[in-house]
Amino acid sequence: MIGLAWYAALAVFLVAATAFAQSTHGLLQSEGIIVNTGRLRIHGDATIAQPSIGGHVEYIGDDGADTQRVASVSYESLYVAGASRKIVDDTAQALTVEAMLATSVEAQIIMQTPQPIRARGGVQHNGRMSSDVGDATLRLDGDRPQRLSGVGVVPVLETANRSTIQLLDQAMLSITRRLDLQDGIVEARSAGWLMLADSAWLWRSDAGSITSPPIPAGVMNLRYYGTRLVRTGAEMPTGGDVVASLLQENLGGITLSHDLTVHGDLVLGGHIHTEPDITQRYVLTFNSAKDVACASPWAEVDGTLIRTNVDIGRALQMNAIDTYVRFNDVADRGSIAAISLRTKRLTMPPQAAGSVDKVRRYYQLTMLDQDGRPVADSTFRADVGYAWRVQPTAPVETDTVIEVRDGLRSMLDSLMLLRYDGSDYVDHGVSDLPTNGDPMRPQWRRGISRGVVANGDFAIGLSSTTPSVVLDVRAFLEGALVTRAADAEPRMRTTLRTNDVIPTTSPSGYPFDLWSGGGVSAHLPLADSIVDWIVVELRSEVTGGRRYYYPGLLSANGHVVDPQTTFRVTARQVRTGRYYMALHHRNHLSVMTAEPLIVRPGEGEITADLSRGESVFGGPASLVFAGVQDGQRRWAMPAGDVDISNLIGRDDIIWPVPLNDEGYLPLDVSLDGILGTNDLNLIWNNRGRAGAVP
């Protein structure tokens, strides 16, 4: 009997609509089966062994000085009322209600478990939920439309119904910690509201949404998560003083539907797009003394970000990692009260749409006074950090995020910040070169321009007015020589080109890994005179110093041409100075000028004939004889450095030798597209030879 400890060996059947069991005090402890099709009213603690119970169950303990334990089973219908504090403490399973969950105004539900209360049907919550072990959670996860009403309080409300959750008229449910829109739509009727306590969070996944804005009691915090791009909706308030922190963790990104101001933390775990289309431009304002936090190194604000806290002497991070503005003193800042930076990723600067010497990124920089008006040019002086994408983040991204065009990949060290002057993009400020990469965030290449004194449109790349110098360089590869005699002019075979096995993009590996620029595509079709790919280098010191690399194609007559223009290789944005010129090949020893050459960009071309033994580093002894031309002995780069050790020997031969293999092969030092004894002979004859170029 109920009222005492009841150990039921048989099922208790409550079958009539009016039939019920009740007790004033005491507990219900069942180890059997309760079959309820009517109403079961419980005044004391309950322990129920069976996983579910039908009918209508009420917990109505009314002693305000006492507690009442609620069993964590699956109920068909559950009503919680009375002044006794209702305890839910089962850590193994969640209390679940299939049809209807209702609580009275005086009901207090205390969660002593991290498990939620799961409601799969209607909810009328007028009581109060709290927790002794974290956040008390009410989870709506039915598989059919659910109705939500009441004026109760819940710390965490999770909506996970792929159908619909209807917030009924007169509902004013208060959420103290978090509203989590996980799945489906919350339809708020005209007179139904969700209330957020001061500093509460609203989370939205890429599958959840709400049709009417919740009402915050003060400030609120926002978090987005998921993997698909979403456009912000009613969950994001329109008031400028409401959002304290924004945590953007949706890997697919979010797109703003209106202007937004953030006053606390701004965390980028995915992109924030402020421009839904070409006709709508919104602004994300960051009104905080903190810095933008990039939780994902690739994430950024694609569009306009305004920073209103302009400190002196520190880098103020803007839209992306390594993109910042710094004022070194009060005089440099002038009357600036805010910084506006519009960044358009993967987009060519409008005035340079057809340019091949700019990356696919541009900036619009505007310094603002306290009234939000642009300050005059030359009234400020700033250092501006700029950065661009050179590598994707797998598996989140693909190569489509790379912003460097083929022609610039060998010149990453030399890309500057440029400003549009009304007719062209020209140098602005002084860009520190070479630019830098960071192994901790290899997705980016970065630079800094010091002394930026004007607002306007900015690009990253080679200035259209920056002088350049043509590199007229000539050399021969021993393995490719067709003739090699004292009375014959040297010429190289083009068998790789004839057999169409030369890659149309610069090969991977040495020497194309000497810089971080990646592959360069050649203009097609390749000329019939092409022998193989090669790399031209300018270095300011024999070892160390500044270095610039330029991929090229070697012609049968020894001249190196640009793979895209098919003319001589052009070096742009090389600092004026003295440079050694070197050539590197994938299976021949390198060669370099004996003395540095004077490089003055804009003064035409410099010539380096590396087939003349007396003009190379290490002299003729570092080369092999190639022939005679115009009465002068010519020399070639020695064949056989297959393992790129700068020393030719037995290790350069792959054992067992795959004789008669065909293709573009490292061991094919004769460059005829097939492995044979001639390749082995070339390597053997040069055994013990070390490269002169360090």
Side-chain angles (χ1 to χ4, degrees):
M1 57 182 292
I2 299 176
L4 299 174
W6 177 26
Y7 298 92
L10 299 175
V12 176
F13 293 91
L14 302 170
V15 296
T18 58
F20 61 89
Q22 66 177 12
S23 67
T24 306
H25 305 288
L27 57 84
L28 168 66
Q29 184 168 346
S30 168
E31 294 182 351
I33 298 175
I34 300 174
V35 179
N36 176 30
T37 60
R39 177 188 300 175
L40 174 61
R41 307 183 73 190
I42 305 172
H43 290 261
D45 294 342
T47 300
I48 301 175
Q50 65 198 67
S52 63
I53 185 169
H56 181 72
V57 178
E58 298 180 356
Y59 287 86
I60 54 175
D62 201 29
D63 184 352
D66 201 0
T67 62
Q68 181 181 15
R69 184 178 186 275
V70 179
S72 291
V73 297
S74 178
Y75 298 89
E76 181 179 349
S77 177
L78 178 65
Y79 178 58
V80 180
S84 297
R85 299 183 304 280
K86 307 302 186 287
I87 304 298
V88 180
D89 60 3
D90 192 330
T91 60
Q93 62 183 356
L95 188 159
T96 302
V97 184
E98 293 292 338
M100 184 67 193
L101 169 65
T103 65
S104 67
V105 173
E106 73 278 6
Q108 297 184 62
I109 302 175
I110 300 174
M111 305 296 291
Q112 295 181 349
T113 170
Q115 295 283 355
I117 292 179
R118 295 180 59 202
R120 298 181 53 77
V123 174
Q124 185 178 36
H125 179 49
N126 293 302
R128 185 179 188 89
M129 288 180 62
S130 62
S131 175
D132 293 338
V133 289
D135 294 333
T137 301
L138 174 59
R139 179 177 175 83
L140 309 183
D141 61 356
D143 52 14
R144 60 188 184 278
Q146 293 178 261
R147 293 184 173 185
L148 177 62
S149 63
V151 294
V153 177
V154 60
V156 177
L157 178 63
E158 295 179 349
T159 63
N161 185 323
R162 291 190 176 182
S163 181
T164 305
I165 296 172
Q166 299 170 345
L167 188 62
L168 300 183
D169 292 350
Q170 308 306 319
M172 294 188 68
L173 197 66
S174 295
I175 301 166
T176 61
R177 298 296 298 274
R178 181 173 74 249
L179 170 60
D180 189 354
L181 305 174
Q182 295 182 6
D183 204 352
I185 301 173
V186 177
E187 291 184 348
R189 301 278 180 93
S190 59
W193 305 98
L194 292 178
M195 318 291 290
L196 295 180
D198 186 29
S199 300
W201 282 85
L202 191 154
W203 291 7
R204 179 187 169 187
S205 82
D206 56 9
S209 63
I210 189 169
T211 60
S212 295
I215 300 177
V219 298
M220 62 179 288
N221 303 287
L222 284 170
R223 174 182 179 242
Y224 291 88
Y225 62 99
T227 59
R228 296 175 299 177
L229 175 68
V230 299
R231 185 161 180 173
T232 62
E235 80 286 345
M236 180 175 284
T238 56
D241 298 325
V242 178
V243 177
S245 296
L246 173 60
L247 180 57
Q248 204 308 78
E249 294 182 325
N250 185 329
L251 299 181
I254 66 171
T255 301
L256 298 187
S257 297
H258 52 75
D259 294 340
L260 176 66
T261 300
V262 176
H263 297 272
D265 294 310
L266 176 58
V267 181
L268 299 179
H271 297 315
I272 298 178
H273 307 278
T274 72
E275 302 177 10
D277 54 51
I278 60 174
T279 65
Q280 300 179 87
R281 291 186 186 177
Y282 300 116
V283 174
L284 175 59
T285 300
F286 188 39
N287 183 30
S288 174
K290 301 180 180 181
D291 259 328
V292 178
C294 290
S296 298
W298 49 270
E300 59 181 305
V301 177
D302 183 19
T304 302
L305 175 70
I306 295 179
R307 285 203 64 159
T308 60
N309 192 288
V310 186
D311 290 339
I312 298 296
R314 72 182 184 96
L316 303 170
Q317 184 169 312
M318 298 298 295
N319 302 48
I321 203 164
D322 293 322
T323 302
Y324 61 87
V325 176
R326 180 174 59 218
F327 300 100
N328 294 313
D329 53 43
V330 173
D332 283 353
R333 184 177 62 183
S335 62
I336 293 171
I339 306 166
S340 173
L341 183 64
R342 180 175 180 243
T343 299
K344 291 307 297 176
R345 57 188 289 271
L346 298 173
T347 305
M348 289 299 295
Q351 304 87 350
S355 173
V356 297
D357 55 6
K358 309 288 187 298
V359 305
R360 294 190 299 151
R361 172 177 292 259
Y362 78 96
Y363 302 122
Q364 289 180 327
L365 177 65
T366 308
M367 304 294 185
L368 305 171
D369 64 17
Q370 61 182 1
D371 297 320
R373 297 172 302 190
V375 303
D377 293 346
S378 301
T379 63
F380 62 88
R381 183 181 181 86
D383 297 339
V384 176
Y386 59 97
W388 67 97
R389 294 298 303 275
V390 294
Q391 184 176 309
T393 302
V396 181
E397 301 175 310
T398 64
D399 287 347
T400 57
V401 302
I402 296 176
E403 296 176 322
V404 184
R405 295 194 170 194
D406 285 347
L408 293 180
R409 293 192 179 190
S410 62
M411 306 182 208
L412 297 184
D413 288 350
S414 305
L415 301 189
M416 317 171 89
L417 186 67
L418 313 169
R419 179 178 177 272
Y420 189 67
D421 67 357
S423 60
D424 216 333
Y425 280 94
V426 298
D427 306 1
H428 187 80
V430 179
S431 293
D432 287 354
L433 297 179
T435 59
N436 298 297
D438 187 336
M440 299 301 294
R441 42 181 185 268
Q443 302 91 340
W444 295 90
R445 189 82 180 185
R446 67 179 187 268
I448 179 173
S449 182
R450 305 180 189 276
V452 173
V453 297
N455 300 313
D457 294 346
F458 290 81
I460 301 169
L462 305 174
S463 172
S464 299
T465 60
T466 297
S468 60
V469 60
V470 174
L471 306 180
D472 185 3
V473 57
R474 189 184 190 201
F476 293 99
L477 298 174
E478 178 194 13
L481 290 172
V482 179
T483 57
R484 184 176 174 182
D487 58 350
E489 178 179 334
R491 191 168 183 83
M492 292 177 286
R493 68 174 57 88
T494 58
T495 310
L496 294 178
R497 170 66 187 96
T498 302
N499 293 340
D500 199 27
V501 295
I502 296 179
T504 58
T505 300
S506 54
S508 59
Y510 179 86
F512 300 92
D513 58 1
L514 290 173
W515 71 96
S516 59
V520 176
S521 298
H523 177 76
L524 299 178
L526 294 176
D528 293 338
S529 61
I530 297 303
V531 177
D532 199 3
W533 285 90
I534 204 160
V535 169
V536 183
E537 177 194 5
L538 293 178
R539 60 171 73 174
S540 60
E541 306 289 343
V542 173
T543 58
R546 294 187 302 274
R547 300 197 178 197
Y548 304 90
Y549 299 98
Y550 307 93
L553 292 169
L554 184 64
S555 299
N557 61 6
H559 287 286
V560 180
V561 299
D562 186 283
Q564 294 184 316
T565 66
T566 69
F567 299 114
R568 298 287 189 264
V569 173
T570 299
R572 306 189 68 175
Q573 296 193 207
V574 179
R575 294 185 185 181
T576 297
R578 297 167 63 85
Y579 293 88
Y580 296 88
M581 187 185 298
L583 278 181
H584 305 281
H585 185 261
R586 59 191 175 95
N587 56 27
H588 284 62
L589 292 176
S590 299
V591 63
M592 185 173 72
T593 57
E595 300 294 334
L597 307 172
I598 297 176
V599 177
R600 295 189 180 93
E603 294 188 3
E605 67 181 36
I606 58 174
T607 300
D609 190 345
L610 298 175
S611 69
R612 298 177 60 183
E614 66 275 9
S615 65
V616 302
F617 194 84
S622 66
L623 306 173
V624 294
F625 179 70
V628 176
Q629 183 178 18
D630 299 329
Q632 294 185 332
R633 293 167 65 85
R634 300 290 178 177
W635 303 84
M637 298 163 61
D641 189 18
V642 177
D643 66 353
I644 318 302
S645 64
N646 211 28
L647 176 66
I648 299 174
R650 182 180 178 85
D651 290 341
D652 290 291
I653 300 176
I654 301 172
W655 302 97
V657 178
L659 292 176
N660 299 318
D661 275 11
E662 298 183 12
Y664 193 76
L665 307 169
L667 195 54
D668 177 26
V669 296
S670 63
L671 305 183
D672 61 2
I674 185 170
L675 293 185
T677 56
N678 57 331
D679 298 298
L680 303 181
N681 290 337
L682 283 165
I683 297 172
W684 184 252
N685 292 337
N686 285 328
R687 68 190 183 281
R689 183 184 288 273
V693 180

